[in-house]
Each structure stands twice: as C-alpha cells, then as structure tokens.
Amino acid sequence: MNILNNLFVTTLPLVPKSIVRRFANKYIAGDSLEDAVNVTKQLNDRGIMTTIDVLGEGVFSRQDAVNAKNECLEVLEAIDKNRLNANHSLKPTSLGLGIDYEFCLQNLTEIVKKANKLGQFVRIDMEDSPYTTRTLNLYEDVYKKYQNCGVVIQSYMRRSMDDVAELAKMKTNFRLCKGIYIEPVEIAYKGKQEVRDNYLKLLRLMFENNCYVGIATHDDYLIEGAYKMIAGLNKQKHEYEFQMLLGVRDKLRNKIVKDGHRMRIYVPFGVHWYKYSIRRFKENPNMAGYAFKALFTGGR
C-alpha cells in the first residue's frame, strides 16, 4: 500500500484540483482571513494557541511582495481585533527575499514593528537551502530593533547545530522541525533516525541555553524524547510549547494538551492552497492515496 501511495503522489498533478481541494480542506482553514480567524477561535476555545499563515511563497515581482506584506499586516490587525491567542508566521520569499535582500528586510521590519506595537509575535519560517543563510541574516537584522520575532531550525540540515549554537547567544525563540524540502546529502541528513537524533540534540542545546522552543513534530519518538528531556531538565510550561499542523494527528494533539503542555496549531489560509496541499500529501502519502481513490469514486 505504501508503494501505491507513493506512486499516487507522483501522479497528483493529474488529479483534478477539485478533488485535491476536498482532501486539502483538512489542512487549511479556507481561502479567507475570516476562515483562519474562525478556526483559531475554535482552537482557542479548547485551550490551543495558533499561528496564522497566509499561503504563498516565492514571489517574482516587488508588487506581489508588497501585496504579501499587506496581507501579513491584515493578519496582525485581525488577531488584535478578535483578541486571538495567536501569532503570525511568514515565509521570507513571499516578501521578496528572492528579489532583493534589503527590500525584503524593509517589508519584514514593517511587519515585525507593527506586531511589536500590538504586543504580538512573528515567526520567520525557514525554506529550502538557497535561502537558509539569508533567512538567518534577516532574523538577526530585524532582532536588533525588535525582539518579538523568532526563526525556524530544521533538524535534517547538517549546519543546524552550528546555527543554533550561534543563535542561542541571542536567546533566540526557536521553532524546531525536521524539514520537508528535498536537499542533497552533502548538506542534509537523509536517514530517518539520524534526523531524529539530531532533532533531540538540537532541542537539548536550545533548552540548555534557556531558549524558548516550539517543539514542532508529529513523531511519537520525538514527542516521547521531548517529554523526557522536559522532565529531566525541569523545564517549566512557559519555557516551551508543542506545535502541530492543522488537521494532522488530532488525537495526539489532544493528548499533549491533556498532559498539561502548551500547544500551538499552524493555521494556513489563502488562495494559494494547492502548492501547500501537495507538499502535505508528499509528507503523508496515505492522504495522497485517498485523493487518488476519490478520482475513481467521484469523491464518495
């Protein structure tokens, strides 16, 4: 079945978008900011925090980057207006990192400044390796003026240990994940267990440097390892949080919350849902299999 599901992933471009959307609805709040606000309210009512993200990345014009910046500002205003227990996450390439560094920095600074004024936090997402160094530079440049921001570290990147050692000196607020982009073996670990092992090593380094960490994973092995580390280092509830994706392993999410840990759910929205959904299916081929089956059953 796994072989078939992996085959389905490669054929997804042939599947009608209407069918992909039917299964994508599990992973996205909807097309509008209002949809993301409503989903966040529902999660907040269950004692769960969120981070709201406008889907979209890799813009190729300055106007598109400015439009993306304005959408981010609208998210911050909506969080404030609705008094949501939420922060905002964004991808630097959506703000023009692939066009011009200083231009992107200007856009990002405007967003973080607005968030600072509203008492909010902004997470700077990490993308694929051509942008790693520039993303970390963006974070450091913005942090000089505004400390209400943090960055993402990917445990499958071989450089991450050195990056964390340096960023920990700034008491960086980290989001730690495995990483989903396809990278060459020269710069990224490929084995499942070596990525896990590096994840826990990075988590320990972050904790030992008293950095706040968003433990972003759906992996039982890593969650168990994090539990043990939290207990062993006597970490308090306000020093970390667990993070998961909307629609992924809800039972496990609820268990973590029941165990008394803080939980934040990634809530994406927007018209650019297709690329994000395809990435989710590649991470979870079983879902691609369901979508492929729907192609021949009329979605029943």
Side-chain angles (χ1 to χ4, degrees):
M1 183 61 68
N2 287 337
I3 294 176
L4 287 175
N5 288 342
N6 287 327
L7 176 62
F8 297 158
V9 169
T10 64
T11 61
L12 273 174
L14 304 177
V15 177
K17 280 192 175 183
S18 60
I19 292 179
V20 175
R21 179 58 187 262
R22 185 170 301 173
F23 290 90
N25 286 337
K26 182 178 181 180
Y27 300 106
I28 58 175
D31 289 349
S32 71
L33 176 54
E34 182 180 2
D35 293 327
V37 168
N38 289 335
V39 169
T40 292
K41 287 180 177 178
Q42 294 169 13
L43 290 167
N44 284 175
D45 287 343
R46 301 173 191 168
I48 298 172
M49 307 174 290
T50 76
T51 183
I52 300 176
D53 178 85
V54 185
L55 292 174
E57 55 195 271
V59 301
F60 300 103
S61 77
R62 288 176 179 262
Q63 186 57 55
D64 286 342
V66 170
N67 293 341
K69 176 197 69 177
N70 290 335
E71 287 184 306
C72 291
L73 295 175
E74 290 174 3
V75 169
L76 299 178
E77 292 168 358
I79 291 173
D80 181 65
K81 177 182 177 181
N82 292 277
R83 299 182 179 180
L84 303 177
N85 190 348
N87 61 31
H88 178 42
S89 58
L90 54 82
K91 291 179 174 60
T93 60
S94 71
L95 301 177
L97 184 57
I99 300 172
D100 178 76
Y101 180 89
E102 292 299 328
F103 171 65
C104 179
L105 177 59
Q106 179 182 345
N107 288 330
L108 177 60
T109 301
E110 184 176 342
I111 293 166
V112 178
K113 179 181 179 180
K114 177 68 173 284
N116 186 67
K117 181 179 179 181
L118 296 174
Q120 297 180 28
F121 178 86
V122 175
R123 176 72 65 191
I124 303 169
D125 285 338
M126 186 61 69
E127 299 170 85
D128 51 345
S129 58
Y131 300 103
T132 304
T133 297
R134 280 178 283 174
T135 298
L136 295 180
N137 289 342
L138 277 175
Y139 163 69
E140 292 176 2
D141 284 343
V142 173
Y143 189 85
K144 292 172 184 176
K145 292 184 177 180
Y146 306 103
Q147 287 73 58
N148 59 310
C149 59
V151 75
V152 176
I153 291 293
Q154 301 165 320
S155 72
Y156 75 157
M157 295 296 287
R158 297 180 185 273
R159 61 176 287 172
S160 289
M161 194 64 69
D162 290 335
D163 288 335
V164 170
E166 195 63 31
L167 292 168
K169 297 175 183 177
M170 303 164 54
K171 291 293 181 279
T172 290
N173 182 315
F174 291 105
R175 176 180 190 266
L176 177 60
C177 66
K178 288 181 179 177
I180 63 172
Y181 297 94
I182 298 174
E183 302 287 1
V185 67
E186 291 79 15
I187 65 172
Y189 298 111
K190 294 295 183 178
K192 178 178 180 179
Q193 193 56 42
E194 62 181 350
V195 173
R196 284 171 158 179
D197 291 342
N198 200 45
Y199 189 106
L200 293 177
K201 290 177 183 177
L202 290 165
L203 180 59
R204 179 171 292 277
L205 181 59
M206 293 170 180
F207 274 160
E208 289 178 344
N209 281 276
N210 297 314
C211 295
Y212 188 91
V213 188
I215 307 167
T217 183
H218 308 95
D219 187 329
D220 293 294
Y221 179 90
L222 294 181
I223 292 170
E224 181 180 350
Y227 270 36
K228 291 178 179 177
M229 200 178 299
I230 288 165
L233 295 174
N234 194 30
K235 285 293 174 180
Q236 304 303 303
K237 306 297 184 185
H238 65 275
E239 296 180 288
Y240 66 91
E241 64 189 45
F242 284 89
Q243 298 182 353
M244 300 179 76
L245 299 173
L246 183 66
V248 180
R249 303 206 65 185
D250 290 349
K251 289 183 179 179
L252 177 59
R253 175 200 73 189
N254 294 337
K255 179 184 183 301
I256 293 172
V257 174
K258 186 177 180 181
D259 289 342
H261 302 284
R262 287 154 53 90
M263 170 63 69
R264 187 179 304 277
I265 297 298
Y266 178 81
V267 176
F269 78 94
V271 296
H272 300 292
W273 57 269
Y274 184 76
K275 184 181 293 187
Y276 172 80
S277 301
I278 294 299
R279 204 157 60 222
R280 292 282 80 82
F281 287 139
K282 287 181 178 179
E283 289 179 69
N284 186 350
N286 289 332
M287 288 303 299
Y290 300 150
F292 193 86
K293 180 181 178 181
L295 176 62
F296 297 102
T297 62
R300 294 190 297 272

